[in-house]
Amino acid sequence: MLIFTEKELKQYVQINQDAIKVVEDAFTKLSSNEVIMPPIMRVDIEEQNGEVDVKSAYIKDKEMFAIKISSGFFNNYQLGLPSGNGMMILISTQTGVPEAILLDNGYLTEVRTAAAGAVAAKYLSKESIETVGVIGAGSQARFQLRSLSLVRNVSKVLVYARSAERAQAFAAEMAAELGVEITAVPDAETVVKNSDTVITTTPTKEPLIKADWLHPGLHITAMGSDAEHKQELEAEVLAKADLLVCDTKAQCARLGELHHALARGVLTENSQIIELGELTSLQVEGRTSDEQITVCDLTGTGVQDTAIALFGYQEMKKRNLGLNIEGSNLLIKN
């Protein structure tokens, strides 16, 4: 078994065009029925504002598939710790033998989630955007802005977070990194009303974006709602969208923004809802005019995890990295 560390993975697996293509291809395979993907298993630890998810998917004809364990403990910032953590295990599709452990501490999840955001923007955001809005100022907000800058020209950014201090830190750090103008603003309304593309990256349980704030040409990628109790968008936001896209309809109907729209009755199972893989496979056209309002509901899928884990494994193998552990060495003698 090979074991790869976060340090190794961070050095050679980054949010770039290769990572975006890997995730885009994974959505295409999902849409083409080339993926077996079970429902997410989740353990909630409410007293610590935490959760642990287990996600997986088998992509047909691949030599391995991933089982990912990921945690989100959203009070960790008070301890100076990242909210996300986790690891991935690659298992042989021929023998069922575990072949590798990727001790990424949630890093690969950050990359694959950001890549999905870039894919959504590629098909749904206007080609020419003046202002990007970011709601949330944590690690994923940073990754999402980096990935968006790979598919769209970004020159001006507005950011809002519940902590003004964290929003200011985000603005300073990302402006220096990307060489763009970034301004921290006092509320989400200012972000939405003044942006062409908005990315939401929070674990909020109360909607942050109201339907009344929407305007022609706006695209929203909402990736914070991945559990029944989370909600970043008013349900009516989804009803007002000219194009509503989900990473998977079944999962979003259970866990995502779509879940709340269905529960409130503003959408039904017969509403026009597109899956991201339908766009990447060119079965369905994305944005067709600069006046359309588009929304993408991302809950995070097991196929993304297998795709990025295989990509990481290949990048490590070609450089002869990783610690090779013989199975017999793992036995504990009494």
Side-chain angles (χ1 to χ4, degrees):
M1 176 187 291
L2 285 167
I3 299 177
F4 305 114
T5 66
E6 178 185 7
K7 182 178 179 181
E8 291 169 327
L9 291 162
K10 279 185 171 180
Q11 189 171 358
Y12 297 108
V13 181
Q14 297 164 1
I15 186 64
N16 55 27
Q17 295 291 356
D18 289 339
I20 292 170
K21 186 177 189 310
V22 162
V23 170
E24 183 171 357
D25 289 347
F27 280 115
T28 297
K29 289 184 180 298
L30 183 63
S31 180
S32 303
N33 296 316
E34 297 178 59
V35 175
I36 296 172
M37 189 169 70
I40 298 168
M41 186 186 87
R42 189 179 79 244
V43 178
D44 291 315
I45 304 172
E46 295 182 3
E47 57 268 31
Q48 300 297 336
N49 194 19
E51 63 191 48
V52 179
D53 294 328
V54 179
K55 298 182 179 181
S56 183
Y58 163 50
I59 302 173
K60 293 181 180 179
D61 298 326
K62 296 294 185 181
E63 61 183 10
M64 293 179 287
F65 74 97
I67 296 176
K68 184 188 76 172
I69 305 164
S70 66
S71 63
F73 279 61
F74 302 105
N75 294 338
N76 275 4
Y77 73 93
Q78 299 170 355
L79 304 173
L81 297 173
S83 60
N85 214 303
M87 61 188 289
M88 298 187 182
I89 303 170
L90 281 170
I91 296 176
S92 169
T93 59
Q94 300 299 312
T95 64
V97 173
E99 298 284 352
I101 299 176
L102 290 76
L103 299 175
D104 67 309
N105 293 324
Y107 174 73
L108 293 178
T109 296
E110 299 274 32
V111 173
R112 65 78 147 146
T113 305
V119 173
K122 175 181 174 180
Y123 290 92
L124 295 170
S125 182
K126 291 191 297 186
E127 288 282 348
S128 177
I129 55 178
E130 293 183 8
T131 304
V132 174
V134 179
I135 297 178
S139 176
Q140 184 54 212
R142 288 166 166 78
F143 272 90
Q144 287 287 339
L145 189 54
R146 291 177 189 124
S147 68
L148 178 63
S149 69
L150 295 172
V151 296
R152 291 291 184 270
N153 290 324
V154 175
S155 58
K156 183 178 179 182
V157 179
L158 302 177
V159 58
Y160 163 73
R162 60 182 177 176
S163 165
E165 183 178 346
R166 296 185 80 206
Q168 291 286 356
F170 176 95
E173 292 168 19
M174 295 306 293
E177 178 182 327
L178 298 178
V180 300
E181 176 188 344
I182 304 182
T183 305
V185 297
D187 53 61
E189 183 176 0
T190 300
V191 171
V192 176
K193 287 186 173 180
N194 294 283
S195 298
D196 301 295
T197 291
V198 172
I199 305 162
T200 62
T201 66
T202 75
T204 183
K205 299 174 185 177
E206 298 291 335
L208 293 169
I209 295 182
K210 298 185 181 299
D212 289 344
W213 303 345
L214 305 188
H215 54 84
L218 178 65
H219 168 66
I220 299 172
T221 294
M223 49 71 56
S225 179
D226 57 359
E228 296 88 343
H229 57 281
K230 297 180 186 178
Q231 184 179 8
E232 296 184 297
L233 314 180
E234 267 189 350
E236 290 76 12
V237 168
L238 278 66
K240 290 185 71 171
D242 296 301
L243 281 175
L244 173 58
V245 177
C246 295
D247 47 16
T248 80
K249 286 186 282 189
Q251 191 166 289
C252 290
R254 184 166 70 94
L255 303 173
E257 301 295 338
L258 178 60
H259 160 73
H260 299 285
L262 293 172
R264 286 180 55 84
V266 300
L267 292 177
T268 71
E269 293 182 358
N270 295 322
S271 298
Q272 181 64 36
I273 302 165
I274 301 164
E275 291 198 336
L276 194 53
E278 294 179 89
L279 301 182
T280 63
S281 62
L282 305 181
Q283 298 174 48
V284 176
E285 196 169 6
R287 176 181 289 272
T288 56
S289 84
D290 282 352
E291 299 302 305
Q292 288 176 308
I293 295 172
T294 58
V295 174
C296 188
D297 184 8
L298 298 178
T299 51
T301 64
V303 72
Q304 292 166 251
D305 295 315
T306 287
I308 202 67
L310 289 173
F311 178 63
Y313 178 86
Q314 291 156 4
E315 292 299 303
M316 298 297 100
K317 282 281 285 183
K318 72 173 65 169
R319 296 174 173 87
N320 294 315
L321 296 173
L323 176 64
N324 197 338
I325 302 293
E326 294 292 337
S328 59
N329 293 337
L330 298 178
L331 294 176
I332 300 174
K333 295 182 180 180
N334 292 325

